[in-house]
Amino acid sequence: MSQSFDAIAELFGLSPAALQKAKERSGKVGENSSESRELGKASLADGRFEEAVEHYRRAVEQAEGAETSEAFASAVDLAGVYEYGDLFPQALRQYQTALKIAGEQAEPHVGISDVLRRYGRFQDSIEELKRARDLEPQNAFIHFKLSETLLEAGYAKEALLSAMQAVLNSPEDAFYHYWTGDLQIRLERFDEALESFKAAIELSPGDDLYLLRAAVAFWRAGKKTEAIKSVRLASDLDPSNNLYYGLLEALYEANDQLAEAAMEKDQAAKMDAYDDDRLDRILREMKVS
């Protein structure tokens, strides 16, 4: 390995062996569509976007006349890399090509929805996701994407229904319970939100964000002691997060526990501007003045 590679590895704390492998991959040409797609994936991982695009384009060309599944996968992968690079018109064309190759499949509809959403075409984006949902009704991720898009379009109640479908189809995924709980807070269904956060925390007890969001639901449900305890547990999981101490100080003060609030002041004073902004938003959400 050259001295320059050793120097680069030392400067950036990288693995010399990994750098050498990346160098060896660069310039390779896949002998078939499957190999080209693998090289494209590796190029993306190495941060070489333009090289990745070339590999994926070559994969599409090599897949012409091949099995439908290979041609479909190549078109979807190329669409995905275009979308990754914010080349949305090109991504849209490839997703549409994938549908022509393999007929009605859910994955291209999800991709088309993402592109349309980026252009602010929420109604069209929602319709694409509904097509995907109807094709794969047991796919929890599609229900989540539909929920996410419905919420962004201003349909919170409909978003909650889709979130519940995600939970039903993937009850062991803590994130979907958390997402449902957040929507229930938005709709002021605080007791229901607490049940959702309870499920999320049971599945992922080490996630301090879930405890933070549960604290919001506790407080809005009138359970102030439990809300403070939930924030304290979140701070125990991530003691370096100064936001939690600022929130504890504010909640103790709001609950007339001034001595306890004073104990949080020193650590809360270490919050930066980003923490201050987050704290303001959380306190508004909790209706703490």
Side-chain angles (χ1 to χ4, degrees):
M1 185 179 296
S2 68
Q3 290 183 344
S4 61
F5 265 70
D6 289 336
I8 292 169
E10 182 180 356
L11 178 61
F12 292 99
L14 301 173
S15 163
L19 284 177
Q20 181 62 31
K21 286 182 180 179
K23 181 183 178 184
E24 292 170 356
R25 286 195 295 267
S26 183
K28 274 191 174 182
V29 176
E31 295 184 1
N32 52 55
S33 60
S34 179
E35 189 174 320
S36 291
R37 286 193 290 115
E38 285 301 313
L39 288 170
K41 182 179 179 181
S43 295
L44 271 184
D46 293 337
R48 298 194 301 274
F49 174 74
E50 292 182 359
E51 185 177 299
V53 169
E54 288 305 311
H55 284 304
Y56 284 117
R57 282 176 177 163
R58 187 174 294 110
V60 168
E61 293 170 0
Q62 291 169 327
E64 290 182 5
E67 292 183 4
T68 298
S69 60
E70 187 65 30
F72 175 80
S74 298
V76 168
D77 283 351
L78 179 56
V81 77
Y82 277 142
E83 189 177 351
Y84 174 82
D86 293 340
L87 300 173
F88 302 125
Q90 295 92 324
L92 186 59
R93 283 198 297 272
Q94 287 301 317
Y95 283 129
Q96 291 168 339
T97 296
L99 286 174
K100 291 177 183 176
I101 291 170
E104 286 292 273
Q105 300 283 336
E107 189 174 2
H109 285 296
V110 174
I112 291 170
S113 172
D114 279 340
V115 173
L116 294 173
R117 180 182 172 192
R118 288 173 185 261
Y119 282 113
R121 293 173 56 184
F122 291 108
Q123 294 301 328
D124 292 333
S125 177
I126 289 167
E127 289 306 312
E128 290 293 331
L129 283 171
K130 286 180 177 178
R131 292 188 183 100
R133 177 200 61 192
D134 292 344
L135 289 165
E136 293 187 17
Q138 295 181 323
N139 189 319
F141 177 72
I142 293 174
H143 287 290
F144 161 69
K145 291 293 291 183
L146 179 55
S147 174
E148 185 180 46
T149 307
L150 284 164
L151 178 63
E152 195 169 348
Y155 303 113
K157 290 182 179 178
E158 293 84 347
L160 178 57
L161 293 175
S162 289
M164 290 177 170
Q165 286 299 314
V167 168
L168 286 173
N169 283 285
S170 188
E172 299 304 311
D173 193 313
F175 174 79
Y176 295 141
H177 291 282
Y178 151 75
W179 174 259
T180 300
D182 244 24
L183 286 169
Q184 288 162 331
I185 287 177
R186 185 181 293 266
L187 293 168
E188 300 190 347
R189 301 181 183 182
F190 305 117
D191 289 333
E192 294 175 30
L194 286 170
E195 288 301 313
S196 294
F197 290 128
K198 178 182 176 181
I201 291 163
E202 183 178 4
L203 290 165
S204 184
D207 198 315
D208 55 295
L209 174 60
Y210 297 168
L211 288 161
L212 172 61
R213 300 308 297 160
V216 175
F218 274 128
W219 191 271
R220 293 295 305 277
K223 300 176 180 180
K224 296 182 177 181
T225 300
E226 291 87 344
I228 291 170
K229 186 178 293 185
S230 193
V231 178
R232 176 64 70 193
L233 290 169
S235 74
D236 290 343
L237 288 173
D238 187 4
S240 66
N241 191 337
N242 294 316
L243 166 70
Y244 294 139
Y245 306 105
L247 182 55
L248 283 168
E249 180 185 8
L251 296 183
Y252 278 133
E253 287 181 353
N255 205 35
D256 294 324
Q257 295 176 255
L258 302 184
E260 290 86 347
M263 294 178 66
E264 307 299 333
K265 281 187 179 295
D266 289 344
Q267 197 68 31
K270 297 178 182 179
M271 290 193 303
D272 58 23
Y274 175 72
D275 293 328
D276 288 334
D277 180 66
R278 284 191 70 197
L279 179 60
D280 286 343
R281 285 188 281 114
I282 292 168
L283 292 177
R284 284 197 300 272
E285 189 178 19
M286 298 174 84
K287 298 190 182 301
V288 175
S289 57

